[in-house]
Amino acid sequence: MTLSRREFAKLGALGLASQAVPSALAQASGRKIGFCVIGLGRIADHFLRGVKDSSVCQITGLVSGHRDKALKIAAQYGVPASSIYSYEQMDAMRSNKAIDAVYVALPNSMHAEYTIRSAKAGKHVLCEKPMSTSVADAQAMIAACDAAKVKLMIAYRLHYEPLTLKTIKLLRDGTFGEIQAINSANGFNIGKNEWRKDKPLSGGGPLMDVGIYSLNAARYLTGEEPQIVTASNSTIDKDGRFTTVEENTAWTMTFPSGVVASCTTTYGGDMPGYYRVFCSKGWLQMDNFGYEDLRLTGSYRNSEGKRVALDETNPERDPKQFTREADHLAECILKNQTPKTSGEEGLRDMRYMKEIYRAAGVNNL
Ligand code: NAD
């Protein structure tokens, strides 16, 4: 759904057309953007709650292999039973006018199929990261959405998070001087019964799942595109968990300005997510790539040479990041704009992850 000319004229009269906020746009169009959630696992729960808090979006459909579970969730979010689909039947959502967009919250290797089927059903797509499990799949997803003239957005929620946006601004406006180097890590100790460690579903190890945060952050912090220099994979724990994917990946990247980034990810130990940026006039550190409690610390020398300390947290609680990302896609649909984290952005990370595997001596993705 995009705004009609008359709806835009209405906004114009209100002085809102040029920079209409999502709520004003939704009001002008007379209804909220309807999302159908595909896959009702852990991340879907955050998204469902995030959309419930939105003034622009609502949940209007569910796709699940477990109808009982879907019925319970449908009752919670006011979704009619007729808008619950099985994976096999979900193409029927084509005729469901209450569904504008889907949220693909399935294991990684299923992203491509469900994005493409949703696009063919005429629905805009918000797809979880990593975009896919191969570069070719990512390209096919973009092509399918282009052909169907629907939006494709990858759910890089931190691109919409205020403290992250403030950090990027501080780095761009020269407060910290030139970036010299970046260190980042993100990982956790994975359980035995997790699809994430099964390559046919995940496509790869921790790089695909959580290392991608360090890769993506190094790109948005510098605003540049990297060259992968070195990488290595390792598996330390021989306890049966890592038979199809690696346990650890470490890699380095250089950026055209000369910035060097070194990153580590694991499925084998506690590794709280963070990045540290070392600059000519100071340094900063962001703790946590999570849904809340992001904390920015650091210091820089001001124009008088005095050191200024920084210590800021974002007080917003989960599921606010999910409200923000859903609202962004809604706004793009209503204003017919390309999402900030488009399919192309997801494809770039797929290409860099392929390069990281290659540098580690593995042909993957
Ligand atoms: P999950 O295991 O909690 O949920 C997966 C869902 O897919 C379940 O509802 C499950 O029933 C369904 N499913 C359908 N076919 C399946 C199959 N063959 N095997 C396993 N599950 C199947 O997973 P999750 O943690 O919600 O992750 C889903 C996606 O979201 C992944 O791509 C992941 O990378 C992404 N994710 C993103 C974030 C984020 O912060 N953006 C956080 C966590 C996960």
Side-chain angles (χ1 to χ4, degrees):
M1 181 180 69
T2 50
L3 281 187
S4 69
R5 208 168 287 189
R6 190 202 282 177
E7 286 159 349
F8 247 105
K10 209 156 114 193
L11 285 171
L14 293 167
L16 291 169
S18 58
Q19 46 178 354
V21 291
S23 54
L25 286 162
Q27 223 177 347
S29 71
R31 74 179 181 94
K32 293 179 175 180
I33 292 295
F35 272 96
C36 176
V37 177
I38 309 181
L40 303 177
R42 285 161 287 185
I43 200 68
D45 176 60
H46 294 267
F47 185 80
L48 286 160
R49 290 184 286 112
V51 170
K52 195 170 192 178
D53 290 348
S54 169
S55 56
V56 188
C57 313
Q58 60 184 342
I59 302 296
T60 52
L62 301 172
V63 176
S64 172
H66 306 277
R67 193 160 174 91
D68 288 354
K69 182 180 182 181
L71 278 165
K72 273 193 199 134
I73 295 174
Q76 250 176 296
Y77 290 92
V79 176
S82 57
S83 295
I84 299 174
Y85 302 92
S86 65
Y87 293 111
E88 295 75 25
Q89 301 162 333
M90 77 149 224
D91 310 84
M93 75 168 72
R94 163 177 281 286
S95 59
N96 190 334
K97 295 277 179 283
I99 298 173
D100 299 289
V102 301
Y103 172 59
V104 180
L106 294 164
N108 308 342
S109 64
M110 300 170 75
H111 291 181
E113 176 189 342
Y114 286 86
T115 293
I116 292 168
R117 280 171 66 186
S118 301
K120 285 185 175 160
K123 308 303 177 186
H124 303 284
V125 179
L126 172 60
C127 177
E128 263 307 338
K129 45 55 59 181
M131 182 172 179
S132 60
T133 48
S134 74
V135 168
D137 275 357
Q139 288 168 326
M141 291 159 79
I142 292 172
C145 291
D146 282 351
K149 296 190 169 46
V150 296
K151 311 284 175 201
L152 173 56
M153 171 172 159
I154 308 303
Y156 287 112
R157 54 187 165 71
L158 293 175
H159 285 241
Y160 308 95
E161 190 279 318
L163 198 56
T164 302
L165 295 174
K166 176 174 179 172
T167 306
I168 295 168
K169 186 168 176 294
L170 286 169
L171 290 170
R172 291 287 188 288
D173 72 13
T175 303
F176 284 82
E178 299 298 329
I179 303 176
Q180 306 297 327
I182 297 171
N183 286 351
S184 182
N186 197 23
F188 65 100
N189 205 338
I190 202 166
K192 277 193 164 58
N193 303 314
E194 249 300 344
W195 59 260
R196 284 172 163 75
K197 49 174 199 45
D198 298 329
K199 193 159 184 273
L201 286 167
S202 62
L207 173 65
M208 307 283 296
D209 187 26
V210 280
I212 191 171
Y213 284 92
S214 298
L215 165 63
N216 196 256
R219 293 180 49 239
Y220 59 67
L221 293 169
T222 57
E224 297 178 50
E225 297 303 332
Q227 191 176 353
I228 307 302
V229 181
T230 61
S232 61
N233 290 340
S234 73
T235 298
I236 295 168
D237 292 305
K238 312 284 190 259
D239 55 12
R241 283 181 299 167
F242 305 107
T243 52
T244 60
V245 301
E246 61 286 346
E247 184 178 27
N248 302 296
T249 298
W251 74 99
T252 58
M253 306 179 270
T254 54
F255 291 83
S257 60
V259 173
V260 183
S262 66
C263 308
T264 316
T265 183
T266 189
Y267 268 163
D270 291 349
M271 191 183 273
Y274 83 96
Y275 54 74
R276 208 167 226 233
V277 187
F278 306 95
C279 308
S280 52
K281 289 199 244 169
W283 63 275
L284 62 81
Q285 174 159 332
M286 178 73 84
D287 285 302
N288 197 345
F289 289 113
Y291 312 135
E292 53 188 28
D293 294 329
L294 273 76
R295 183 178 179 197
L296 173 65
T297 50
S299 74
Y300 61 91
R301 280 185 306 282
N302 67 13
S303 52
E304 288 147 23
K306 291 223 169 70
R307 203 161 263 284
V308 179
L310 208 69
D311 188 347
E312 222 177 291
T313 48
N314 176 355
E316 292 173 349
R317 309 313 292 170
D318 181 49
K320 184 70 180 177
Q321 291 185 15
F322 297 85
T323 310
R324 288 185 185 281
E325 73 181 4
D327 283 359
H328 180 74
L329 181 58
E331 182 175 4
C332 289
I333 293 169
L334 290 164
K335 291 166 86 174
N336 193 20
Q337 289 178 347
T338 303
K340 187 178 164 199
T341 52
S342 64
E344 300 292 343
E345 173 68 2
L347 172 61
R348 278 182 212 113
D349 277 348
M350 289 305 301
R351 287 199 168 113
Y352 297 130
M353 290 194 290
K354 186 179 174 77
E355 286 301 313
I356 291 168
Y357 274 110
R358 185 175 296 164
V362 178
N363 185 15
N364 190 22
L365 309 185

